[in-house]
Amino acid sequence: MPMPASEIEKIIKAALPDATVELTALADDNDHWAATVTSESFRGLTRVRQHQLVNAAFGGRLGTELHALALTTRAP
């Protein structure tokens, strides 16, 4: 089941309220996305930990409802 950009942004912002989220469709199917997420919450964290925080926001939905999410994360 595809996930629209608005839903992806809503999920990420629920976990990281200060985040800015930029989404790019990697295919025209609402199932493959690239996201750039900027959040002060990432400051001092490794890139792996930053990605874990974003991925955790999706719970079991990542890999099922949302097939692919390529992440770029950074602190402002």
Side-chain angles (χ1 to χ4, degrees):
M1 177 177 190
M3 186 178 291
S6 59
E7 181 70 11
I8 295 168
E9 184 173 0
K10 183 174 118 181
I11 289 168
I12 293 171
K13 286 185 161 269
L16 302 162
D18 72 318
T20 58
V21 181
E22 300 169 38
L23 291 162
T24 304
L26 298 177
D28 194 22
D29 61 2
N30 275 346
D31 222 11
H32 298 81
W33 293 95
T36 300
V37 182
T38 305
S39 174
E40 187 61 41
S41 301
F42 297 148
R43 191 167 304 282
L45 299 179
T46 66
R47 184 95 19 155
V48 169
R49 185 65 186 126
Q50 293 172 16
H51 286 214
Q52 287 172 335
L53 288 175
V54 175
N55 289 337
F58 289 91
R61 299 171 80 179
L62 192 58
T64 56
E65 288 181 55
L66 177 60
H67 179 73
L69 181 64
L71 285 174
T72 301
T73 55
R74 59 179 167 230

